[in-house]
Every structure is written in structure tokens, then in C-alpha cells.
Amino acid sequence: MDVILCGDFGPGERDDWLSALSSAWPAGRWLDVEGARRSAATVRAAVVFPPVGDALQGLPNLGLVQSLWAGVDRLLASGEVPADVPLARMVDPAMSRAMSETALWATLSLQRGFFAYARQQGRRLWRPLPQRRAETWRVTVLGLGEMGRAAAAALAHQGYRVSGWASRPRELPPGVGAAFGDAGLGSLLPKTDVLINLLPLTTATRGLLDARLFAALPPGASVVNLARGAHLVDDDLLQALDGGHLGHAVLDVFAAEPLPPGHPFWTHPRVSVLPHVAALTDPHTAAAAVAANLQALADGRPLRHLVDRGRGY
Ligand code: NAP
Ligand code: GLV
């Protein structure tokens, strides 16, 4: 089967993917953009690392676009994927595990005061802080999908009091509570010490992390944004931190990436910045997920992890 592999790869990255994908699915003839244009009629699938520009236009027999990213907000907003072609997002257990590690690291660092100790080190200050027990810490995870469930499970396993939030009731990991819809969120926020965002970016979730939401959190609560920068209203976060209502923010994602050098987050003492690395797609593990969907397409079986364009995720 002819497959186009295209997108915004860093130096050497496309070769790494090509090697992993060819091993995972030797049945594919892997084409670049020019190759796909020459063989337009036989290209059946696309594996993409967005943005992809117009690479997917003019391929009349495209039956699957497989994203190498979990979040498809950018692909959907750009219109780069023809509306009648099924779009699948990346779901890889190794990626979910990486996300759970980041969520656990952030929560542990907040609970045990490790960010505060890093600030103290800068002042050569030797001052033990109160030690807080995990079972007294209430963590709310926004989103109970692949990423949110993995994070919630790891946090509950570590002993935290974990609740999740989603739009519809769904099966929960052991030890995790949940609430649904707007009223559900309203009930969780006042009982939250750490709020972790793992929602997809949609019209319903854009700007959700704003002044109103922060005001509903208890004083001293912290915010961890691991999903998309546009979920957060930057100025509202800065005001809530500077006004003393919020304790700390851990931010992996930003409205503009890379985060511009002059942005106040870089130097804010109560903000920890990561360069969008909470869970990277790893060719060594993700190639198997891609291969499974390509084989399903080849066999005429149902495709997995398809995006619901109506819902936007
Ligand atoms: P997913 O499996 O599609 O799960 C999305 C979850 O969000 C679902 O539980 C869904 O609820 C919930 N949700 C969506 N809209 C909602 C709303 N309006 N109100 C309440 N709940 C809502 O997605 P995923 O794989 O977990 O990924 C989530 C996001 O993480 C991605 O979209 C991406 O932006 C981000 N991400 C970031 C990185 C990174 O490195 N920083 C890496 C991977 C992913 P239902 O269950 O009711 O549908
Ligand atoms: C990363 O942010 C992803 O969506 O995979």
C-alpha cells in the first residue's frame, strides 16, 4: 500500500520515523510529498506530523490520515485534512505513561515543596518546610481520556485523592472519583489542591483556565497545564499568582511556541516552564499503533482512535 509520510519533522526525524514505520509495517511503500504527487491515485493513507500544508490535497483514494500527535486541534483548525477522510489520533500506551510521569512529577514537586526549595536555593536559604502527606492532597484531572486516565491512575496509586472530569460518564481507574459536565466541575474545583489539565483543545475548552475558574479554586492551589496553551488565559494566571490566590503553575504548553523570550512566564518565580515535552511521540513505540491502523485499512476492518469532528477530538 502507498503511504505518504509528511509534516514538520526536525532534522533526521523523518528518517527515524521511516525506519521505525518500515520495520513495524513492511507492507508499506513510503512516499514523500513529491512521490505522493507522482502516484496520487494509489496513495491510500497518510501518516502526518502537522503542519502538512497542502500535502494531502489531490489524493483521491486517501482512506486514512493518521496523526503522529495525540491532539488534533491544529490539524482540524487548519483544514489540511480533507473533510471526507477519516482522521485518527495517536494513542500509544508508552505516551500515556510518559504523561503520567510528568503529572506525577509535577504533583510530587508541589506536594513536597520541591519548587519552593529550588527558589530557596537561589537565595542560599536553608529552611525546611512542612512535610505534607500525599493522602491529604486533592488532585483534579481535567479530561479522562487516554492521557487523563493514565495520569489519574498513577496519582491514585501514589496515594493522592484523585478526581477526574469529563463530559460523559466513563469507566474509571481504581481509586479515582469523577464528576461530569459544568455542575461537576463546579463541585470539584473548591476541593482541589492541584488542577491538572489534560483536555483536548475545542471550542468548549478554549480559555477554560481563566480568572473565573481560578477564583473557584481554594487559596494556595496550583495549576498544571499539560494539554494546550490556548486552554489558559495567561494574564488571568499571572494575576492569580501575583495576587497570592494561586500557589504555583507548571506549564508545558503555550499559546505561542516556542514561548517568546520576553514572556513573563520565563522569569516568574512561581511558574515552571517545560518546552512541550510532557509526552513526546516516540517512533519506537508509536510505530506499532500506526501499523495497526494501516493494517486495519488494508483489511477493510474498522479504524481505531478516529476523531469525532463534531466534538473536535
Ligand atoms: P482523549 O482520549 O480524546 O480524551 C479527552 C478527554 O477530555 C475525554 O475524557 C473527554 O470527555 C474530555 N473532554 C473533552 N471535552 C470536554 C468538555 N468540554 N468537558 C469535559 N470533558 C471534556 O484525549 P487524550 O489522548 O487524553 O489527550 C488529551 C490532550 O492532551 C490532547 O488533545 C493534547 O492536547 C494533550 N497532549 C499533550 C501532550 C504534551 O506533550 N503536552 C501530549 C499528548 C497529548 P469524554 O470522555 O466525555 O469524551
Ligand atoms: C502533543 O502535544 C500531542 O498532542 O501529541
Side-chain angles (χ1 to χ4, degrees), residues 23 47 49-50 67 71 128 133 158 177 191 193 234 245-246 278 308:
S23 307
V47 177
F49 201 83
S67 170
R133 285 176 290 114
Q158 186 65 24
K191 297 179 270 177
D193 296 303
D234 293 6
H245 182 61
L246 289 184
D308 177 336

Side-chain angles (χ1 to χ4, degrees), residues 7-305:
D8 188 24
F9 295 102
E13 234 177 8
R14 190 176 181 281
D15 289 342
D16 291 346
W17 275 105
L18 198 52
S19 149
L21 290 166
S22 320
S23 307
W25 206 60
R29 183 168 77 119
W30 300 91
L31 304 171
D32 59 14
V33 177
E34 284 70 37
R37 286 218 171 96
R38 282 195 296 272
S39 306
T42 58
V43 176
R44 292 278 291 119
V47 177
V48 303
F49 201 83
V52 296
D54 63 1
L56 307 182
Q57 310 304 318
L59 304 174
N61 293 311
L62 205 52
L64 165 68
V65 174
Q66 171 67 58
S67 170
L68 295 177
W69 283 54
V72 290
D73 45 287
R74 189 167 170 169
L75 265 179
L76 290 178
S78 68
E80 290 170 343
V81 180
D84 56 342
V85 178
L87 169 63
R89 42 187 224 91
M90 175 50 61
V91 174
D92 172 11
M95 195 175 176
S96 307
R97 187 188 164 99
M99 184 60 87
S100 70
E101 290 167 352
T102 305
L104 195 52
W105 159 79
T107 306
L108 274 166
S109 303
L110 292 162
Q111 170 226 339
R112 293 294 311 280
F114 297 138
F115 294 125
Y117 288 125
R119 283 197 299 276
Q120 288 190 183
Q121 182 177 350
R123 299 163 55 208
R124 297 168 192 252
L125 184 60
W126 181 282
R127 181 192 288 160
L129 300 169
Q131 183 171 289
R132 290 160 292 196
R133 285 176 290 114
E135 62 269 25
T136 67
W137 266 62
R138 302 158 302 178
V139 185
T140 296
V141 180
L142 303 181
L144 282 170
E146 302 296 331
M147 299 290 155
R149 280 202 312 279
L155 290 160
H157 185 73
Q158 186 65 24
Y160 295 106
R161 290 164 60 186
V162 183
S163 302
W165 183 62
S167 55
R168 305 163 279 192
R170 49 158 60 240
E171 204 179 322
L172 298 170
V176 175
F180 307 96
D182 288 349
L185 182 60
S187 70
L188 288 178
L189 293 175
K191 297 179 270 177
T192 298
D193 296 303
V194 180
L195 183 75
I196 301 181
N197 178 35
L198 282 169
L199 290 165
L201 182 64
T202 66
T203 45
T205 64
R206 180 177 293 273
L208 184 77
L209 305 180
D210 66 358
R212 206 164 71 109
L213 179 143
F214 299 146
L217 292 168
S222 295
V223 171
V224 179
N225 189 15
L226 307 177
R228 286 291 181 264
H231 284 127
L232 175 69
V233 181
D234 293 6
D235 287 346
D236 288 3
L237 177 68
L238 289 166
Q239 267 187 28
L241 289 166
D242 293 340
H245 182 61
L246 289 184
H248 197 92
V250 178
L251 306 178
D252 179 57
V253 285
F254 303 91
E257 295 183 0
L259 184 63
H263 198 290
F265 287 159
W266 278 118
T267 51
H268 198 289
R270 292 179 183 276
V271 175
S272 301
V273 169
L274 295 174
H276 201 143
V277 291
L280 300 174
T281 319
D282 181 345
H284 294 104
T285 55
V290 176
N293 243 359
L294 292 174
Q295 190 59 49
L297 180 69
D299 296 345
R301 286 184 285 111
L303 301 169
R304 304 191 67 204
H305 309 304

